Amino acid sequence: MAFVEFRDVSKIYQMGEVEVAAVRAMSFQIEQGEFVVIVGPSGAGKTTLLNMLGGMDSCTSGTITLDGAEVSSFSRKQLTKYRRYDIGFVFQFYNLVSNLTARENVELASQICKNPLPADEVLASVGLADRVRNFPGQLSGGEQQRVAIARALAKNPKLLLCDEPTGALDYETGKAILKLLQDTCRETGRTVVVVTHNSAFCSIADRVIHVREGSVAAVEVNEAPLSAE
Ligand code: ADP
Ligand code: ADP
């Protein structure tokens, strides 16, 4: 069994009388330790897919498994634990607590975890060893995203999920963030999934899942992915 499996997963949103099929009968797999890019135009269902994988949204039908556990049949209580212990989240707009320092932001997340990694160690691994005492407002966009990545990694999660992590950054800064995510995956063996509408990311992924109109249009496996530089 693959590390992540989507089997015939659908998500229907009920908008009054109207049904919106955000995801329709999606099936794909992800192997442990892969750097995965999920790519497709706006509205294709990428965020819905990621939210279901992260236990933030339920599917209407189908099965989702992570590391042998059937996430799609979890109770509310199990989902809360799953989000807390198993998944690290990185968003487009960082979502840091503005009146806490970088170190405190990371510690906040690791306090609620089972096997957290030391905050300063993780901050050093994302290149912020000398910024641990800074508040988000004193950091650049790229640095704030590094703090957000450190916060997610400090949970020591099975899976790191990133929704448009470069969406708010300029080209060079975004590239550096992608390189960091790729390096993290290579060096720690952690499985990393990045959602983006930008097909420029595809060449650096081990696996690319192309999503269109709620369906998987194609899956590419790169035997020799490029380094993100
Ligand atoms: P993407 O991330 O690829 O831009 P989304 O997953 O956000 O796509 O959205 C897929 C489709 O589902 C879109 O048509 C969107 O309008 C719809 N959708 C997403 N979330 C909701 C929701 N909470 N209620 C109703 N429709 C939604
Ligand atoms: P746009 O024209 O939509 O702004 P760009 O081509 O400037 O798109 O790239 C936007 C994002 O794509 C940037 O955040 C950058 O990080 C990423 N990107 C583009 N090409 C590469 C690449 N070869 N390697 C890594 N990231 C890339």
Side-chain angles (χ1 to χ4, degrees):
M1 189 183 241
F3 189 59
V4 171
E5 286 196 10
F6 265 53
R7 250 172 285 136
D8 279 327
V9 173
S10 295
K11 177 69 186 182
I12 316 287
Y13 288 110
Q14 196 74 42
M15 304 273 288
E17 306 269 285
V18 183
E19 288 190 340
V20 179
V23 165
R24 336 165 185 230
M26 258 190 200
S27 298
F28 63 83
Q29 303 188 338
I30 292 171
E31 299 298 339
Q32 189 155 20
E34 281 184 335
F35 184 67
V36 179
V37 163
I38 296 177
V39 70
S42 180
K46 304 183 297 295
T47 294
T48 304
L49 182 174
L50 206 70
N51 288 348
M52 292 191 293
L53 179 55
M56 294 192 288
D57 205 346
S58 59
C59 56
T60 310
S61 60
T63 52
I64 300 171
T65 58
L66 174 78
D67 202 12
E70 198 176 319
V71 178
S72 47
S73 62
F74 277 176
S75 66
R76 261 176 191 281
K77 204 171 161 188
Q78 285 175 305
L79 281 175
T80 304
K81 282 191 180 169
Y82 173 74
R83 287 193 298 267
R84 183 177 292 181
Y85 301 138
D86 294 335
I87 309 294
F89 296 100
V90 175
F91 304 98
Q92 179 172 359
F93 295 110
Y94 332 130
N95 297 3
L96 301 175
V97 182
S98 60
N99 62 346
L100 297 182
T101 63
R103 179 192 280 143
E104 288 164 347
N105 265 280
V106 174
E107 283 171 348
L108 191 65
S110 53
Q111 271 161 12
I112 60 162
C113 294
K114 270 188 291 198
N115 307 303
L117 304 172
D120 283 5
E121 201 173 284
V122 192
L123 281 161
S125 77
V126 301
L128 294 179
D130 54 354
R131 307 293 255 155
V132 298
R133 273 187 281 270
N134 284 99
F135 292 92
Q138 300 171 316
L139 300 171
S140 70
E143 287 169 335
Q144 289 183 58
Q145 191 62 298
R146 284 171 192 269
V147 177
I149 292 168
R151 178 182 57 184
L153 290 173
K155 293 168 69 177
N156 203 2
K158 287 184 177 173
L159 188 59
L160 185 64
L161 299 181
C162 315
D163 196 352
E164 299 278 2
T166 68
L169 303 172
D170 63 62
Y171 178 81
E172 287 303 329
T173 309
K175 216 158 77 166
I177 289 296
L178 277 179
K179 175 155 171 46
L180 173 65
L181 291 170
Q182 191 189 38
D183 288 349
T184 297
C185 177
R186 294 280 179 274
E187 285 160 20
T188 66
R190 204 181 299 282
T191 311
V192 178
V193 178
V194 177
V195 154
T196 179
H197 64 274
N198 191 333
S199 52
F201 299 157
C202 296
S203 59
I204 66 168
D206 299 314
R207 181 182 301 265
V208 185
I209 299 171
H210 296 265
V211 176
R212 224 165 292 281
E213 294 175 8
S215 301
V216 174
V219 177
E220 273 173 76
V221 176
N222 288 333
E223 294 304 335
L226 299 179
S227 171
E229 18 221 354

